[in-house]
Amino acid sequence: MRGLAQALTFAFASGGTAESFDKLFARASEESDFAPDCFAKELFLKELVARCMQPELGHEKFPLHRAHLVSVLSRPPRDLASITFRHGILRELEAAPELCKRLERLAQKLRLLQLKLEAPDRGKRYDAIGRRLDILRDIRDLIDELATSFASAGSGLLRLHAFGKEQRASESYENLVNLLDHEGNRALVELRVRVGYDGEMRAFEIVRASEHASNPFYRTPLGRFLTKLRLWLSGYGFREAELVGRLINSVFDGVQSTVTTLFQLLADIEFYLGNLALRALARSRGLDVCLPVLSAAPNADSELSDLYNPFLLLEERAPKPAQIRASRQAMVIITGPNSGGKTRLLQALGLAQLLAQAGCYVPARSARLPLRHGLFVSLSQEPSAEAREGRLGTELIRIRTMFEQLSPDSLVILDELCSGTNPSEGEEIFELVVGLLAELEPQAFITTHFLQFAKRLEAERPAPRLEFLQVELDTDHQPTYGFVPGVATTSLAQRTAERLGVTREALHDLVLRAKKGQRSSTPVE
């Protein structure tokens, strides 16, 4: 944290920048088996944090350090103990609203301290010494709040109380308190005021004046004079403000490591505030979130009750939850019509696993999940101007990248595998991928439009642990956005075309309209 210490030194002396703090907060230090490049873009983690995990404190949006939270989510800890620790704090915040309020208040004060440090020193027009003293007061108040506000906590929040107590017992805190006491209580002056018949003050006189001599920073008038004289004789010409400024800086140096830890605490607190915001958003749409049960047992299955995609919470219509159950090394082939919810389901599955292992709430009523050692997600295959290959080549590169980055016991999520080539070649590659995945033994969820091929896989079972899900249709053959076992029998292409106005009659009308428009625009000679 050397960079943060340097940033704090410059910020206290003359003001810092928001960018310098944001860059420092953007780093997450957890050791993780997950490589963000394999899934972060596909799961839209930046958008998840910005849109679904935005807390509101006092009817105002709290400005998260979003880059840091994205980093924390994309690098979940390896050990189950860290996940359990985070779960414990979230459970206590659920059960104790007062603790939640205290945590929110602490976050607001820490954010205010950051803003004061970022504010530039305005030179002669601004009291630079007063600004630094104001920052030191905030540091003292934060330490006092930590020491007193979380003494009743039973989870990891108790560490806040322990840290506050430790700081209050330190010599640097004692120097901080003495300096602020000296600044605010250097002397006591008693006055006698004379008031006229109209209530206006006519005069006043000083009855008694006494200096606060018991403070360690106190110097007698003679002592102050001798100090200045000694410095002058040594060739140094310091003004009073310079001496006070150096004294203030030395006190800040003593608590600088404490301030560094305070900002680390702010980053940690934002993780919990973001989770509580996701929970509040879900409940506002009549849904819930849960803390999952994670298991490293070799026979642990995935069981998600009422799973939904959190991005759908932002839509006008609330999402329809899905019931998902799959064995630990299952390869689940998902079929169904376009706009039936397949891609949204894949995204929900990836987010559920990632959030679960990050120690977060999962968008489901209940969840039991295996502890994974990697995640690979490939959802968006948009054309790129820099692409050197066609659709097939791009698809083959995607497959190779997956096998380069996969580890055993990972979770694999693939949307529209082998859709970039003709069905016969695509099916051959598809079957190759399924067979090799069976050797590596991850859990995989794969969507496809090759319905006849999926039906053959269901009948022949060329690889072990194949499972099949299809989009559920209602009595009018419309997608319900639910999923049931089996392989879809139709992609409903004709119905989709009719819904979007792509029929022979509709297109023929457009052709006639275009021809008519061309004739009417021909100039008359």
Side-chain angles (χ1 to χ4, degrees):
M1 299 303 291
R2 182 179 178 182
L4 179 56
Q6 291 177 342
L8 287 174
T9 299
F10 287 117
F12 183 73
S14 58
T17 63
E19 291 77 11
S20 63
F21 281 99
D22 289 341
K23 288 179 182 178
L24 293 163
F25 281 124
R27 304 187 186 98
S29 58
E30 289 281 2
E31 292 187 359
S32 177
D33 290 327
F34 285 46
D37 290 344
C38 293
F39 57 82
K41 180 181 177 182
E42 308 289 336
L43 294 179
F44 302 101
L45 289 187
K46 291 181 180 179
E47 291 79 2
L48 178 75
V49 169
R51 302 178 66 192
C52 301
M53 303 184 76
Q54 175 60 60
E56 291 191 9
L57 309 185
H59 304 293
E60 293 184 1
K61 290 184 177 181
F62 183 81
L64 294 175
H65 294 90
R66 292 176 181 172
H68 177 266
L69 186 50
V70 169
S71 182
V72 171
L73 296 180
S74 60
R75 296 184 59 81
R78 286 176 178 168
D79 61 305
L80 196 56
S82 296
I83 300 171
T84 303
F85 176 84
R86 292 174 179 177
H87 284 182
I89 291 177
L90 286 173
R91 285 194 180 93
E92 183 164 39
L93 291 173
E94 280 185 36
E98 180 55 35
L99 276 179
C100 190
K101 293 289 186 185
R102 293 174 191 170
L103 195 69
E104 292 174 353
R105 185 169 63 244
L106 179 61
Q108 289 172 314
K109 290 184 176 181
L110 285 166
R111 179 62 176 171
L112 182 60
L113 174 62
Q114 180 185 338
L115 292 175
K116 288 183 178 180
L117 284 165
E118 290 173 358
D121 188 339
R122 300 180 184 85
K124 294 181 179 179
R125 294 185 180 182
Y126 185 70
D127 183 2
I129 290 178
R131 169 185 171 271
R132 280 176 271 180
L133 286 169
D134 193 28
I135 291 171
L136 290 178
R137 289 189 199 94
D138 285 354
I139 295 170
R140 178 197 60 192
D141 293 345
L142 280 165
I143 293 172
D144 291 344
E145 179 146 352
L146 287 168
T148 56
S149 294
F150 299 95
S152 62
S155 66
L157 291 173
L158 191 59
R159 292 186 179 184
L160 299 177
H161 169 65
F163 175 73
K165 281 187 63 178
E166 180 184 358
Q167 297 309 306
R168 289 179 93 176
S170 68
E171 182 181 353
S172 58
Y173 175 82
E174 184 179 358
N175 290 336
L176 172 65
V177 171
N178 286 333
L179 173 67
L180 294 175
D181 180 61
H182 179 63
E183 183 275 332
N185 187 25
R186 178 174 173 176
L188 178 66
V189 178
E190 295 182 21
L191 301 176
R192 179 180 290 121
V193 178
R194 184 156 51 87
V195 180
Y197 77 96
D198 55 359
E200 295 292 330
M201 183 177 68
R202 293 289 188 268
F204 69 90
E205 58 181 304
I206 296 175
V207 177
R208 183 173 58 186
S210 60
E211 293 188 323
H212 189 192
S214 63
N215 190 288
F217 288 98
Y218 172 75
R219 294 291 182 273
T220 64
L222 178 61
R224 294 194 292 271
F225 171 76
L226 292 176
T227 298
K228 291 180 180 179
L229 179 62
R230 185 168 62 252
L231 290 171
W232 180 76
L233 292 174
S234 300
Y236 300 106
F238 291 107
R239 291 175 296 177
E240 183 77 22
E242 290 181 85
L243 292 172
V244 173
R246 288 175 182 270
L247 179 61
I248 291 172
N249 288 343
S250 68
V251 170
F252 179 77
D253 289 342
V255 296
Q256 188 182 82
S257 62
T258 302
V259 178
T260 302
T261 304
L262 288 175
F263 283 119
Q264 290 173 325
L265 286 177
L266 175 58
D268 292 338
I269 290 170
E270 288 181 2
F271 170 85
Y272 298 103
L273 295 181
N275 270 272
L276 293 172
L278 175 61
R279 176 171 172 258
L281 176 62
R283 290 192 167 183
S284 71
R285 303 308 307 275
L287 295 168
D288 211 341
V289 293
C290 70
L291 292 174
V293 176
L294 286 163
S295 174
N299 60 345
D301 294 341
S302 297
E303 298 180 35
L304 292 146
S305 177
D306 290 346
L307 171 71
Y308 57 91
N309 189 315
F311 287 108
L312 294 178
L313 295 171
L314 305 169
E315 302 290 337
E316 183 177 349
R317 185 172 63 177
K320 177 176 179 177
Q323 317 304 319
I324 301 296
R325 179 167 185 170
S327 59
R328 189 182 185 103
Q329 282 87 28
M331 276 177 288
V332 184
I333 310 300
I334 305 173
T335 55
N338 284 325
S339 302
K342 300 190 301 298
T343 302
R344 290 291 199 177
L345 173 66
L346 292 184
Q347 191 178 47
L349 288 164
L351 287 172
Q353 188 71 45
L354 182 64
L355 292 173
Q357 293 200 209
C360 298
Y361 287 120
V362 167
R365 182 169 54 84
S366 65
R368 301 179 67 87
L369 295 168
L371 193 65
R372 295 292 178 194
H373 299 293
L375 174 63
F376 183 89
V377 180
S378 181
L379 298 181
S380 56
Q381 291 296 304
E382 299 178 357
S384 171
E386 293 79 21
R388 297 182 179 180
E389 302 287 344
R391 292 187 66 188
L392 175 59
T394 302
E395 178 72 7
L396 295 175
I397 291 173
R398 170 167 76 144
I399 292 170
R400 180 174 179 83
T401 301
M402 175 181 68
F403 280 103
E404 286 175 345
Q405 298 178 333
L406 268 184
S407 60
D409 207 19
S410 298
L411 175 62
V412 178
I413 294 175
L414 295 172
D415 195 21
E416 303 297 348
L417 179 61
C418 296
S419 62
T421 185
N422 66 73
S424 60
E425 291 177 335
E427 290 173 8
E428 184 177 348
I429 298 171
F430 194 118
E431 196 160 355
L432 171 66
V433 171
V434 168
L436 291 174
L437 285 176
E439 291 186 29
L440 193 59
E441 295 187 336
Q443 185 184 64
F445 291 87
I446 306 171
T447 64
T448 181
H449 279 296
F450 299 156
L451 301 186
Q452 295 302 319
F453 174 65
K455 199 69 178 176
R456 180 170 67 80
L457 290 180
E458 184 185 36
E460 297 177 1
R461 304 282 173 165
R465 298 178 296 278
L466 278 174
E467 300 177 16
F468 298 85
L469 283 176
Q470 61 175 315
V471 174
E472 182 184 47
L473 303 178
D474 61 17
T475 55
D476 295 324
H477 296 282
Q478 296 296 323
T480 66
Y481 304 103
F483 293 84
V484 294
V487 176
T489 58
T490 176
S491 64
L492 298 180
Q494 185 62 36
R495 286 179 177 267
T496 303
E498 291 174 358
R499 177 172 59 84
L500 297 176
V502 185
T503 64
R504 182 175 181 81
E505 293 78 10
L507 295 178
H508 186 258
D509 287 343
L510 292 175
V511 170
L512 292 177
R513 188 182 307 171
K515 291 172 70 175
K516 183 179 179 181
Q518 185 180 27
R519 284 197 301 269
S520 64
S521 61
T522 302
V524 178
E525 295 182 359

